[in-house]
Short mmCIF file of all heavy atoms in Angstrom, two decimals:
data_model
loop_
_atom_site.label_atom_id
_atom_site.label_comp_id
_atom_site.label_asym_id
_atom_site.label_seq_id
_atom_site.Cartn_x
_atom_site.Cartn_y
_atom_site.Cartn_z
N ILE A 15 -87.24 102.37 -21.72
CA ILE A 15 -87.59 101.55 -22.86
C ILE A 15 -89.03 101.01 -22.69
O ILE A 15 -89.82 100.98 -23.65
CB ILE A 15 -86.58 100.39 -23.02
CG1 ILE A 15 -85.21 100.94 -23.39
CG2 ILE A 15 -87.10 99.38 -24.05
CD1 ILE A 15 -84.12 99.88 -23.35
N ARG A 16 -89.35 100.56 -21.49
CA ARG A 16 -90.67 100.04 -21.21
C ARG A 16 -91.75 101.06 -21.49
O ARG A 16 -92.76 100.81 -22.17
CB ARG A 16 -90.75 99.59 -19.75
CG ARG A 16 -92.12 98.95 -19.38
CD ARG A 16 -92.15 98.73 -17.86
NE ARG A 16 -93.42 98.14 -17.49
CZ ARG A 16 -93.66 96.84 -17.45
NH1 ARG A 16 -92.68 96.01 -17.75
NH2 ARG A 16 -94.86 96.40 -17.10
N GLU A 17 -91.53 102.28 -21.02
CA GLU A 17 -92.50 103.35 -21.16
C GLU A 17 -92.66 103.73 -22.64
O GLU A 17 -93.77 103.94 -23.08
CB GLU A 17 -92.07 104.53 -20.32
CG GLU A 17 -93.05 105.75 -20.40
CD GLU A 17 -94.44 105.43 -19.89
OE1 GLU A 17 -94.54 104.54 -18.98
OE2 GLU A 17 -95.38 105.99 -20.37
N ARG A 18 -91.57 103.76 -23.33
CA ARG A 18 -91.56 104.17 -24.75
C ARG A 18 -92.32 103.15 -25.60
O ARG A 18 -93.17 103.52 -26.43
CB ARG A 18 -90.11 104.33 -25.25
CG ARG A 18 -90.03 104.95 -26.62
CD ARG A 18 -88.59 105.32 -26.94
NE ARG A 18 -87.67 104.23 -26.91
CZ ARG A 18 -86.43 104.24 -26.48
NH1 ARG A 18 -85.94 105.41 -26.03
NH2 ARG A 18 -85.71 103.16 -26.47
N LEU A 19 -92.09 101.81 -25.33
CA LEU A 19 -92.79 100.79 -26.11
C LEU A 19 -94.24 100.75 -25.73
O LEU A 19 -95.14 100.57 -26.64
CB LEU A 19 -92.14 99.43 -25.76
CG LEU A 19 -90.76 99.19 -26.40
CD1 LEU A 19 -90.15 97.88 -25.90
CD2 LEU A 19 -90.78 99.22 -27.92
N ASN A 20 -94.59 100.94 -24.44
CA ASN A 20 -95.95 100.91 -24.02
C ASN A 20 -96.72 101.99 -24.65
O ASN A 20 -97.90 101.85 -25.09
CB ASN A 20 -96.00 101.01 -22.47
CG ASN A 20 -97.34 100.63 -21.88
OD1 ASN A 20 -98.11 99.92 -22.57
ND2 ASN A 20 -97.66 101.15 -20.71
N THR A 21 -96.11 103.24 -24.68
CA THR A 21 -96.80 104.36 -25.30
C THR A 21 -97.05 104.14 -26.78
O THR A 21 -98.11 104.45 -27.32
CB THR A 21 -95.93 105.66 -25.10
OG1 THR A 21 -95.77 105.86 -23.69
CG2 THR A 21 -96.61 106.86 -25.71
N PHE A 22 -96.02 103.61 -27.40
CA PHE A 22 -96.10 103.37 -28.85
C PHE A 22 -97.26 102.36 -29.19
O PHE A 22 -98.07 102.58 -30.08
CB PHE A 22 -94.76 102.81 -29.38
CG PHE A 22 -94.82 102.37 -30.84
CD1 PHE A 22 -94.82 103.32 -31.85
CD2 PHE A 22 -94.88 101.03 -31.16
CE1 PHE A 22 -94.88 102.90 -33.20
CE2 PHE A 22 -94.95 100.63 -32.44
CZ PHE A 22 -94.93 101.53 -33.50
N LEU A 23 -97.26 101.26 -28.42
CA LEU A 23 -98.33 100.20 -28.68
C LEU A 23 -99.70 100.75 -28.34
O LEU A 23 -100.70 100.40 -29.01
CB LEU A 23 -98.00 98.97 -27.90
CG LEU A 23 -96.75 98.17 -28.36
CD1 LEU A 23 -96.42 97.05 -27.40
CD2 LEU A 23 -96.98 97.61 -29.76
N THR A 24 -99.81 101.50 -27.30
CA THR A 24 -101.12 102.03 -26.87
C THR A 24 -101.66 102.96 -27.97
O THR A 24 -102.87 102.89 -28.32
CB THR A 24 -100.96 102.80 -25.56
OG1 THR A 24 -100.52 101.87 -24.52
CG2 THR A 24 -102.33 103.41 -25.18
N GLU A 25 -100.78 103.81 -28.50
CA GLU A 25 -101.19 104.69 -29.52
C GLU A 25 -101.48 103.96 -30.88
O GLU A 25 -102.32 104.42 -31.68
CB GLU A 25 -100.14 105.77 -29.75
CG GLU A 25 -99.97 106.68 -28.58
CD GLU A 25 -98.83 107.70 -28.82
OE1 GLU A 25 -98.12 107.55 -29.80
OE2 GLU A 25 -98.68 108.63 -27.97
N SER A 26 -100.77 102.87 -31.07
CA SER A 26 -100.93 102.13 -32.33
C SER A 26 -102.17 101.24 -32.37
O SER A 26 -102.93 101.21 -33.33
CB SER A 26 -99.68 101.32 -32.61
OG SER A 26 -98.57 102.14 -32.71
N VAL A 27 -102.36 100.40 -31.31
CA VAL A 27 -103.43 99.40 -31.28
C VAL A 27 -104.48 99.68 -30.24
O VAL A 27 -105.52 99.00 -30.23
CB VAL A 27 -102.84 97.99 -31.15
CG1 VAL A 27 -101.84 97.68 -32.19
CG2 VAL A 27 -102.16 97.88 -29.75
N GLY A 28 -104.22 100.62 -29.35
CA GLY A 28 -105.21 100.90 -28.26
C GLY A 28 -104.89 100.00 -27.04
O GLY A 28 -104.51 98.86 -27.19
N ARG A 29 -105.09 100.55 -25.86
CA ARG A 29 -104.78 99.82 -24.68
C ARG A 29 -105.68 98.57 -24.50
O ARG A 29 -105.23 97.58 -23.99
CB ARG A 29 -104.96 100.77 -23.41
CG ARG A 29 -104.65 100.09 -22.11
CD ARG A 29 -104.63 101.12 -20.98
NE ARG A 29 -103.53 102.08 -21.16
CZ ARG A 29 -102.27 101.82 -20.76
NH1 ARG A 29 -101.95 100.69 -20.24
NH2 ARG A 29 -101.31 102.72 -20.95
N GLU A 30 -106.95 98.66 -24.94
CA GLU A 30 -107.86 97.57 -24.80
C GLU A 30 -107.41 96.34 -25.66
O GLU A 30 -107.76 95.21 -25.38
CB GLU A 30 -109.29 97.96 -25.12
CG GLU A 30 -109.53 98.36 -26.51
CD GLU A 30 -109.08 99.80 -26.84
OE1 GLU A 30 -108.58 100.48 -25.92
OE2 GLU A 30 -109.26 100.26 -27.99
N ASN A 31 -106.67 96.64 -26.70
CA ASN A 31 -106.25 95.53 -27.58
C ASN A 31 -104.85 95.01 -27.27
O ASN A 31 -104.33 94.14 -27.96
CB ASN A 31 -106.27 96.02 -29.07
CG ASN A 31 -107.66 96.40 -29.53
OD1 ASN A 31 -108.61 95.69 -29.16
ND2 ASN A 31 -107.80 97.49 -30.24
N LEU A 32 -104.26 95.56 -26.21
CA LEU A 32 -102.91 95.21 -25.86
C LEU A 32 -102.86 93.98 -24.98
O LEU A 32 -103.51 93.96 -23.88
CB LEU A 32 -102.20 96.41 -25.20
CG LEU A 32 -100.73 96.13 -24.79
CD1 LEU A 32 -99.85 95.89 -26.00
CD2 LEU A 32 -100.25 97.42 -24.00
N ASP A 33 -102.19 92.94 -25.35
CA ASP A 33 -101.98 91.73 -24.58
C ASP A 33 -100.78 91.98 -23.62
O ASP A 33 -99.63 91.95 -24.04
CB ASP A 33 -101.71 90.51 -25.45
CG ASP A 33 -101.64 89.21 -24.68
OD1 ASP A 33 -101.35 89.27 -23.44
OD2 ASP A 33 -101.85 88.15 -25.26
N GLN A 34 -101.11 92.23 -22.35
CA GLN A 34 -100.07 92.63 -21.42
C GLN A 34 -99.05 91.52 -21.18
O GLN A 34 -97.86 91.83 -21.05
CB GLN A 34 -100.74 92.98 -20.06
CG GLN A 34 -99.82 93.77 -19.13
CD GLN A 34 -99.38 95.13 -19.70
OE1 GLN A 34 -100.14 95.78 -20.39
NE2 GLN A 34 -98.16 95.50 -19.40
N ASN A 35 -99.49 90.24 -21.13
CA ASN A 35 -98.54 89.14 -20.91
C ASN A 35 -97.60 89.02 -22.11
O ASN A 35 -96.40 88.87 -21.93
CB ASN A 35 -99.33 87.84 -20.75
CG ASN A 35 -100.04 87.80 -19.43
OD1 ASN A 35 -99.62 88.43 -18.44
ND2 ASN A 35 -101.15 87.02 -19.38
N ARG A 36 -98.16 89.13 -23.31
CA ARG A 36 -97.30 89.09 -24.48
C ARG A 36 -96.32 90.23 -24.55
O ARG A 36 -95.17 90.11 -24.92
CB ARG A 36 -98.16 89.03 -25.75
CG ARG A 36 -97.40 89.01 -27.05
CD ARG A 36 -96.65 87.69 -27.22
NE ARG A 36 -95.82 87.65 -28.43
CZ ARG A 36 -96.31 87.28 -29.58
NH1 ARG A 36 -97.62 86.88 -29.70
NH2 ARG A 36 -95.54 87.26 -30.64
N PHE A 37 -96.85 91.38 -24.16
CA PHE A 37 -96.00 92.59 -24.07
C PHE A 37 -94.84 92.42 -23.17
O PHE A 37 -93.73 92.76 -23.48
CB PHE A 37 -96.86 93.81 -23.65
CG PHE A 37 -96.01 95.05 -23.40
CD1 PHE A 37 -95.43 95.73 -24.47
CD2 PHE A 37 -95.87 95.53 -22.10
CE1 PHE A 37 -94.66 96.86 -24.19
CE2 PHE A 37 -95.05 96.65 -21.89
CZ PHE A 37 -94.52 97.32 -22.93
N GLU A 38 -95.08 91.80 -21.97
CA GLU A 38 -94.01 91.60 -20.98
C GLU A 38 -92.97 90.61 -21.54
O GLU A 38 -91.78 90.77 -21.30
CB GLU A 38 -94.60 91.05 -19.66
CG GLU A 38 -95.50 92.08 -18.92
CD GLU A 38 -94.70 93.26 -18.40
OE1 GLU A 38 -93.45 93.16 -18.25
OE2 GLU A 38 -95.28 94.35 -18.18
N GLN A 39 -93.44 89.55 -22.23
CA GLN A 39 -92.54 88.59 -22.76
C GLN A 39 -91.63 89.21 -23.86
O GLN A 39 -90.40 88.99 -23.87
CB GLN A 39 -93.35 87.43 -23.41
CG GLN A 39 -94.05 86.57 -22.40
CD GLN A 39 -94.94 85.52 -23.05
OE1 GLN A 39 -95.02 85.44 -24.29
NE2 GLN A 39 -95.58 84.71 -22.23
N GLU A 40 -92.26 89.97 -24.70
CA GLU A 40 -91.48 90.61 -25.81
C GLU A 40 -90.52 91.67 -25.19
O GLU A 40 -89.38 91.86 -25.66
CB GLU A 40 -92.40 91.31 -26.77
CG GLU A 40 -93.28 90.39 -27.62
CD GLU A 40 -92.41 89.46 -28.50
OE1 GLU A 40 -91.29 89.94 -28.89
OE2 GLU A 40 -92.88 88.36 -28.81
N LEU A 41 -90.95 92.28 -24.16
CA LEU A 41 -90.09 93.29 -23.53
C LEU A 41 -88.87 92.61 -22.91
O LEU A 41 -87.76 93.13 -23.00
CB LEU A 41 -90.87 94.03 -22.41
CG LEU A 41 -90.10 95.15 -21.68
CD1 LEU A 41 -89.68 96.24 -22.64
CD2 LEU A 41 -90.99 95.71 -20.57
N ILE A 42 -89.05 91.56 -22.23
CA ILE A 42 -87.94 90.80 -21.65
C ILE A 42 -86.97 90.33 -22.77
O ILE A 42 -85.72 90.40 -22.57
CB ILE A 42 -88.44 89.54 -20.87
CG1 ILE A 42 -89.22 90.04 -19.59
CG2 ILE A 42 -87.27 88.65 -20.46
CD1 ILE A 42 -89.93 88.92 -18.88
N TYR A 43 -87.52 89.83 -23.87
CA TYR A 43 -86.67 89.37 -24.98
C TYR A 43 -85.90 90.56 -25.53
O TYR A 43 -84.70 90.44 -25.83
CB TYR A 43 -87.58 88.80 -26.03
CG TYR A 43 -86.84 88.36 -27.29
CD1 TYR A 43 -86.11 87.20 -27.31
CD2 TYR A 43 -86.86 89.18 -28.44
CE1 TYR A 43 -85.40 86.77 -28.47
CE2 TYR A 43 -86.15 88.79 -29.55
CZ TYR A 43 -85.42 87.62 -29.56
OH TYR A 43 -84.78 87.27 -30.71
N PHE A 44 -86.54 91.69 -25.66
CA PHE A 44 -85.89 92.90 -26.26
C PHE A 44 -84.82 93.42 -25.37
O PHE A 44 -83.67 93.74 -25.83
CB PHE A 44 -86.95 94.00 -26.51
CG PHE A 44 -86.42 95.22 -27.10
CD1 PHE A 44 -86.02 95.26 -28.46
CD2 PHE A 44 -86.31 96.41 -26.35
CE1 PHE A 44 -85.49 96.41 -29.04
CE2 PHE A 44 -85.81 97.56 -26.93
CZ PHE A 44 -85.42 97.60 -28.27
N ILE A 45 -85.10 93.48 -24.08
CA ILE A 45 -84.10 94.01 -23.11
C ILE A 45 -82.91 93.03 -22.98
O ILE A 45 -81.79 93.47 -22.83
CB ILE A 45 -84.75 94.20 -21.71
CG1 ILE A 45 -85.78 95.36 -21.80
CG2 ILE A 45 -83.73 94.46 -20.65
CD1 ILE A 45 -86.58 95.57 -20.58
N ASP A 46 -83.18 91.75 -23.14
CA ASP A 46 -82.12 90.76 -23.09
C ASP A 46 -81.13 90.95 -24.26
O ASP A 46 -79.92 90.82 -24.07
CB ASP A 46 -82.69 89.28 -23.12
CG ASP A 46 -81.61 88.28 -22.99
OD1 ASP A 46 -80.92 88.24 -21.94
OD2 ASP A 46 -81.43 87.47 -23.95
N LYS A 47 -81.66 91.39 -25.36
CA LYS A 47 -80.82 91.63 -26.52
C LYS A 47 -79.91 92.89 -26.31
O LYS A 47 -78.87 93.00 -26.90
CB LYS A 47 -81.68 91.87 -27.78
CG LYS A 47 -82.37 90.61 -28.35
CD LYS A 47 -81.36 89.63 -28.92
CE LYS A 47 -82.01 88.47 -29.57
NZ LYS A 47 -81.02 87.50 -30.07
N LEU A 48 -80.36 93.75 -25.42
CA LEU A 48 -79.61 94.98 -25.16
C LEU A 48 -78.73 94.87 -23.93
O LEU A 48 -78.07 95.82 -23.54
CB LEU A 48 -80.58 96.14 -24.92
CG LEU A 48 -81.50 96.50 -26.18
CD1 LEU A 48 -82.40 97.69 -25.77
CD2 LEU A 48 -80.69 96.81 -27.35
N ASP A 49 -78.68 93.66 -23.33
CA ASP A 49 -77.88 93.50 -22.15
C ASP A 49 -76.42 93.66 -22.43
O ASP A 49 -75.89 93.09 -23.41
CB ASP A 49 -78.11 92.06 -21.57
CG ASP A 49 -77.37 91.84 -20.29
OD1 ASP A 49 -77.67 92.57 -19.28
OD2 ASP A 49 -76.43 91.03 -20.27
N ILE A 50 -75.68 94.43 -21.63
CA ILE A 50 -74.28 94.70 -21.90
C ILE A 50 -73.38 94.24 -20.77
O ILE A 50 -72.24 94.66 -20.61
CB ILE A 50 -74.12 96.23 -22.07
CG1 ILE A 50 -74.63 97.01 -20.85
CG2 ILE A 50 -74.74 96.72 -23.36
CD1 ILE A 50 -74.31 98.53 -20.90
#
């Protein structure tokens, strides 16, 4: 999931425009929603 989202954002906004901290926060929130 991490790799898929990272690739999508990189292709969409560019790596230089990616806020890594915000990305990690959103990733944690997203993964928490998928916790089983």
Side-chain angles (χ1 to χ4, degrees):
I15 294 171
R16 180 188 181 91
E17 181 61 30
R18 191 166 59 215
L19 289 175
N20 195 23
T21 301
F22 173 76
L23 290 173
T24 299
E25 293 176 353
S26 299
V27 301
R29 181 170 295 276
E30 64 280 1
N31 297 320
L32 180 62
D33 186 334
Q34 195 63 35
N35 290 332
R36 179 65 183 274
F37 172 70
E38 294 293 340
Q39 290 174 1
E40 293 296 333
L41 181 62
I42 292 171
Y43 177 79
F44 182 71
I45 292 174
D46 184 62
K47 290 290 184 182
L48 299 179
D49 183 66
I50 56 174

